[in-house]
Amino acid sequence: MTQMLPLNDGRHIPQLGFGLWQVPAATTAETTATALNLGYRLVDGAAIYGNEAGQGEGIRRSGLPREQVFVTTKVWNSEQGFDKTLRAAEASLKRLGLTHVDLLLIHWPCPRKDLYLDTWRALIRLREEGRATSIGVSNFQEPQLTRLIGETGVTPVLNQVEINPRLQQPALRAFHAKHGIVTQSWTPLGQGKSFETAPVQAAVRRTGKSPAQVILRWHLQIGAAVIPRSTREAGLRENLNLFDFALTEAEMAAIATLDEGQRCGPDPARFEMD
Ligand code: NAD
């Protein structure tokens, strides 16, 4: 149902998935199983979301074969460093009830801690051991990506970063494209702050789609992978229904003008929370 993007390690990732941030632990299994049964094939989780057990349970409850579901989790800031990361990944796998994840990410670079290089070396080890099929990062900026690649020769397959119409990150996306790194957009709907803008509303009127669908389609057409979150079945269904229309070049250009460099989330250059 959803398109696949190639990764630089020979694997592929569904371009569209769903995210589990702030999904209550008690209902995560149900949300995950519902989403997978609607047609999603990628579940984005993280140790810090506190719902990895439900993420794993939902995958089992969906009845889908394990190999049809792309599972992501992330190493939290407090677990950075080589040995700690190895232990944190094992703990995540145990909570998920899985032998491996499809993608393991460093959640934030935490530049002042300066442990992301050792953490990356642990991810390389975990990939060699088959505990993570692919490895990548989240919230990394160009200098940190350059350092990882330069020091280890291993390029992350993906960088999951905040992208929405008000924060389009064109320079970072160009760097990703040059290095074969997939851009994956978090908070893709940007807290609804561009839903009422003229370019989005014009596309809504022409296509008959919702503002959320127009914006998610914009992500797909800039070549990004995207992981919207909804706990409502109708919302999950709406966010999956993106493949029967396209934005015109003029509509894409109009949405490009909405970039204000305004973040919804923290600035990754300064975010070090444990
Ligand atoms: P999102 O842009 O997906 O928006 C979620 C909000 O929009 C919710 O309030 C939801 O109810 C609402 N919504 C969803 N579908 C809608 C629709 N069709 N119409 C109107 N409103 C709708 O934001 P997010 O959850 O912040 O980000 C998505 C995922 O990205 C997260 O769940 C998580 O997996 C990931 N994420 C990662 C990081 C990171 O640091 N790597 C940070 C934040 C989020």
Side-chain angles (χ1 to χ4, degrees):
M1 180 171 285
T2 171
Q3 296 164 191
M4 304 294 282
L5 293 178
L7 298 173
N8 65 29
D9 62 1
R11 309 273 172 174
H12 289 81
I13 186 170
Q15 191 173 10
L16 175 66
F18 67 100
L20 292 177
W21 182 47
Q22 292 186 330
V23 175
T27 52
T28 297
E30 187 189 330
T31 299
T32 301
T34 300
L36 292 173
N37 287 322
L38 286 172
Y40 288 89
R41 288 295 177 269
L42 181 149
V43 198
D44 183 79
I48 194 67
Y49 301 165
N51 52 17
E52 284 174 311
Q55 186 180 356
E57 173 58 26
I59 293 163
R60 284 183 290 281
R61 220 184 265 181
S62 76
L64 287 170
R66 168 69 185 88
E67 63 276 11
Q68 285 186 23
V69 184
F70 193 103
V71 184
T72 302
T73 196
K74 313 184 190 87
V75 176
W76 185 240
N77 302 345
S78 58
E79 308 309 305
Q80 285 213 22
F82 190 84
D83 292 331
K84 270 178 133 179
T85 294
L86 294 181
R87 285 197 293 273
E90 289 306 322
S92 280
L93 288 169
K94 193 167 176 205
R95 286 188 293 267
L96 287 160
L98 299 176
T99 56
H100 69 282
V101 289
D102 299 276
L103 181 62
L104 183 62
L105 304 178
I106 305 177
H107 206 143
W108 291 87
C110 304
R112 252 173 304 153
K113 281 193 191 30
D114 197 21
L115 289 170
Y116 63 84
L117 194 55
D118 282 346
T119 306
W120 185 238
R121 292 195 169 103
L123 264 58
I124 294 170
R125 167 75 65 85
L126 287 157
R127 189 183 63 174
E128 286 164 1
E129 292 173 347
R131 307 300 264 163
T133 308
S134 296
I135 53 175
V137 294
S138 178
N139 299 305
F140 274 50
Q141 295 177 307
E142 201 174 313
Q144 298 134 12
L145 289 168
T146 302
R147 187 166 169 224
L148 286 193
I149 298 165
E151 295 279 337
T152 67
V154 179
T155 303
V157 297
L158 173 149
N159 189 14
Q160 184 183 111
V161 292
E162 182 183 341
I163 301 214
N164 44 60
R166 295 169 80 237
L167 183 74
Q168 300 188 14
Q169 308 232 44
L172 186 60
R173 287 193 282 121
F175 181 88
H176 290 166
K178 192 168 144 209
H179 292 271
I181 299 169
V182 168
T183 301
Q184 192 179 48
S185 308
W186 65 252
T187 309
L189 300 174
Q191 299 173 340
K193 287 176 181 162
S194 27
F195 281 16
E196 302 304 325
T197 60
V200 172
Q201 285 298 320
V204 164
R205 280 193 300 277
R206 185 189 66 78
T207 60
K209 293 286 181 174
S210 69
Q213 288 171 318
V214 164
I215 290 169
L216 294 172
R217 182 72 207 182
W218 169 80
H219 286 274
L220 299 180
Q221 288 186 222
I222 62 170
V226 64
I227 43 170
R229 162 178 55 107
S230 180
T231 48
R232 294 179 311 116
E233 183 169 336
L236 285 165
R237 207 183 279 280
E238 181 180 328
N239 296 344
L240 192 58
N241 185 3
L242 308 175
F243 298 98
D244 61 350
F245 76 112
L247 300 175
T248 64
E249 267 179 47
E251 286 164 345
M252 291 296 289
I255 294 173
T257 67
L258 298 176
D259 189 9
E260 295 170 15
Q262 292 290 333
R263 293 181 186 279
C264 293
D267 179 351
R270 277 180 273 280
F271 188 70
E272 304 268 339
M273 195 175 84
D274 269 348

